[in-house]
């Protein structure tokens, strides 16, 4: 037999062949199995009667109702997530997402979803795609006394999309950002501040259509306390610091924070509680590989079902995502 050490140093010893399939996993009840004539532990080849199954579990995955706009012009967008130690870098090829058109919001199923909602959240990334669509939702929220929440998302949003961002800002009731995004925003909007706390207060004080609801600003600072500005007053909310060994993957931390925050906001909890839930969700996510949640976690008076990311932030992402099927 060949020397074991020499074998271990060889590359390409094993070749595999199989079907390159996209697995779509969902927790379902037995009624869905019966609907598609399947049994527990089945492994079958799809027939014509099974074709609607994939769309059904995608549309209802984790309780999220998605409203895709579909195009055949280009493929679905992709994003490379490059993890180096505790850091992650993103390179997005929006592709089909750039084909989004505001008229999609007027379709009956989208219109009904918008009319039923009381909270609206926009990712700053979408300012680069369809600010008109964001303004439609923001205008609707303002006209009906609902809450409009926005995340700055990335430095380039303030740096290169100031004009559409400035049109949206007067509608924003709650504004998220991290320290770098807040600094980029301040530079773009000529805000002079003695520090992040001062910048956050001035961000909250920028012109707003509904003066009866002062803008709330939330600035995260990694392992440093979260800055919460409410009614012009600053509160610093401490973050649970993890050791270098505990941090596995920071990808999705900001999304998890937003999801945790929103999960409490829709329940009418205080902004202090919303921030604490956001911190708790983000702290959990960065201790696992990939943006994943496991189990139901308890933190004092907050009970967090860690599907909050899937149920809330992914709802936002999917609301404007366009697929080529």
């Amino acid at each position: 037999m060949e020397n074991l050490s020499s074998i271990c140093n060889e590359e390409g010893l094993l070749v595999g062949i199989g079907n390159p399939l996209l697995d779509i996993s969902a927790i379902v009840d037995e009624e869905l199995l019966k609907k598609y004539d399947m049994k527990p532990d089945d492994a079958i080849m799809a027939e014509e009667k099974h074709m609607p199954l994939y769309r059904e579990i995608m549309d209802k995955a984790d309780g999220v109702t998605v409203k895709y706009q579909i195009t055949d012009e280009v493929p679905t967008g992709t994003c490379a997530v490059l993890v180096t130690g505790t850091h992650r870098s993103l390179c997005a090829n929006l592709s089909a997402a750039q084909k989004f058109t505001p008229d999609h919001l007027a379709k009956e199923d989208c219109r009904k979803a918008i009319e039923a909602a009381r909270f609206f959240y926009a990712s700053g990334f979408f300012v680069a795609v369809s600010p008109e669509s964001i303004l439609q939702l923001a205008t609707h929220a303002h006209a009906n006394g609902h809450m409009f929440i926005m995340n700055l998302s990335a430095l380039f949003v303030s740096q290169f999309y100031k004009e559409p961002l400035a049109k949206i800002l007067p509608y924003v009731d709650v504004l998220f950002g991290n320290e770098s995004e807040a600094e980029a925003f301040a530079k773009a909007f000529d805000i002079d501040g003695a520090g992040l706390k001062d910048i956050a207060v001035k961000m909250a004080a920028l012109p707003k259509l509904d003066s009866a609801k002062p803008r709330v600003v939330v600035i995260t600072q990694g392992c440093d306390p979260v800055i919460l500005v409410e009614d012009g007053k600053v509160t610093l909310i401490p973050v649970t610091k993890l050791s270098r060994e505990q941090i596995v993957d920071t990808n999705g931390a900001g999304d998890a924070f937003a999801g945790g925050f929103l999960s409490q906001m829709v329940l009418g909890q205080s902004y202090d509680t919303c921030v604490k839930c956001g911190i708790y969700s983000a702290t959990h996510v960065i201790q696992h590989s990939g943006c994943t949640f496991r189990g139901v976690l308890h933190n004092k008076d907050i009970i967090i079902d860690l599907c909050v990311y899937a149920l809330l932030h992914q709802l936002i992402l999917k609301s404007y995502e366009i697929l080529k099927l």
Side-chain angles (χ1 to χ4, degrees):
M1 185 175 179
E2 292 184 54
N3 183 278
L4 183 60
S5 60
S6 65
I7 293 175
C8 290
N9 290 326
E10 291 185 39
E11 294 184 2
L13 284 173
L14 178 66
V15 170
I17 190 169
N19 292 321
L21 301 178
L22 171 66
D23 284 353
I24 307 172
S25 300
I27 298 175
V28 302
D29 54 31
E30 291 196 13
E31 289 302 312
L32 190 67
L33 292 181
K34 293 177 182 177
K35 178 178 178 180
Y36 289 100
D37 195 22
M38 295 179 64
K39 304 179 183 64
D41 296 320
D42 256 355
I44 64 174
M45 298 294 286
E47 302 173 28
E48 188 62 33
K49 64 183 179 183
H50 297 112
M51 291 302 106
L53 172 62
Y54 307 103
R55 168 60 67 183
E56 181 168 349
I57 61 175
M58 284 171 59
D59 286 353
K60 299 190 179 294
D62 291 324
V64 177
T65 302
V66 296
K67 308 296 180 185
Y68 292 117
Q69 185 176 11
I70 299 172
T71 179
D72 291 323
E73 297 178 27
V74 288
T76 300
T78 52
C79 181
V81 181
L82 309 178
V83 180
T84 51
T86 59
H87 305 284
R88 66 97 175 93
S89 303
L90 305 178
C91 182
N93 172 24
L94 296 181
S95 196
Q98 290 182 306
K99 300 294 182 180
F100 188 94
T101 54
D103 62 297
H104 181 62
L105 301 179
K107 294 178 180 177
E108 186 177 3
D109 55 345
C110 293
R111 180 180 54 78
K112 288 182 178 179
I114 291 168
E115 290 176 352
R118 289 183 290 137
F119 298 85
F120 297 84
Y121 175 99
S123 163
F125 290 119
F126 200 47
V127 175
V129 174
S130 183
E132 302 87 354
S133 299
I134 297 178
L135 271 174
Q136 280 192 36
L137 294 181
T139 302
H140 172 84
H142 174 67
N144 291 276
H146 299 325
M147 296 295 291
F148 185 75
I149 307 106
M150 188 164 185
N151 198 327
L152 291 175
S153 297
L155 278 67
F156 76 83
V157 176
S158 296
Q159 292 170 337
F160 302 115
Y161 297 93
K162 177 185 175 181
E163 184 177 345
L165 185 58
K167 292 179 181 179
I168 296 166
L169 192 62
Y171 296 91
V172 178
D173 297 304
V174 179
L175 183 63
F176 291 112
N178 63 28
E179 67 271 45
S180 299
E181 293 158 1
E183 289 169 354
F185 181 94
K187 184 176 181 180
F189 286 84
D190 300 318
I191 296 175
D192 293 322
L196 277 175
K197 288 188 288 185
D198 192 29
I199 289 173
V201 170
K202 291 180 178 180
M203 289 169 68
L206 289 173
K208 188 173 184 294
L209 288 175
D210 188 352
S211 57
K213 289 191 295 184
R215 181 180 295 112
V216 172
V217 171
V218 181
I219 305 298
T220 60
Q221 307 184 86
C223 63
D224 293 325
V226 174
I227 299 170
L228 169 65
V229 179
E230 183 180 2
D231 293 322
K233 299 178 181 178
V234 174
T235 302
L236 297 179
I237 303 176
V239 171
T240 303
K241 293 189 177 182
L242 302 176
S243 68
R244 172 63 183 81
E245 292 70 29
Q246 288 177 294
I247 301 174
V248 177
D249 182 359
T250 58
N251 187 40
D255 299 332
F257 180 91
F261 186 102
L262 292 170
S263 74
Q264 300 304 299
M265 186 177 180
V266 299
L267 295 177
Q269 298 295 325
S270 68
Y271 286 115
D272 180 89
T273 297
C274 293
V275 169
K276 289 177 179 177
C277 187
I279 292 170
Y280 195 60
S281 299
T283 301
H284 177 87
V285 163
I286 65 177
Q287 295 182 74
H288 302 280
S289 180
C291 189
T292 57
F293 292 85
R294 299 172 186 173
V296 178
L297 304 187
H298 300 260
N299 181 19
K300 297 182 179 178
D301 297 328
I302 302 173
I303 300 178
I304 307 171
D305 182 341
L306 285 178
C307 65
V308 290
Y309 177 82
L311 292 180
L312 292 164
H313 193 75
Q314 284 296 339
L315 173 61
I316 311 310
L317 297 179
K318 290 178 184 296
S319 67
Y320 65 78
E321 184 179 11
I322 309 174
L323 290 181
K324 179 185 180 186
L325 298 179

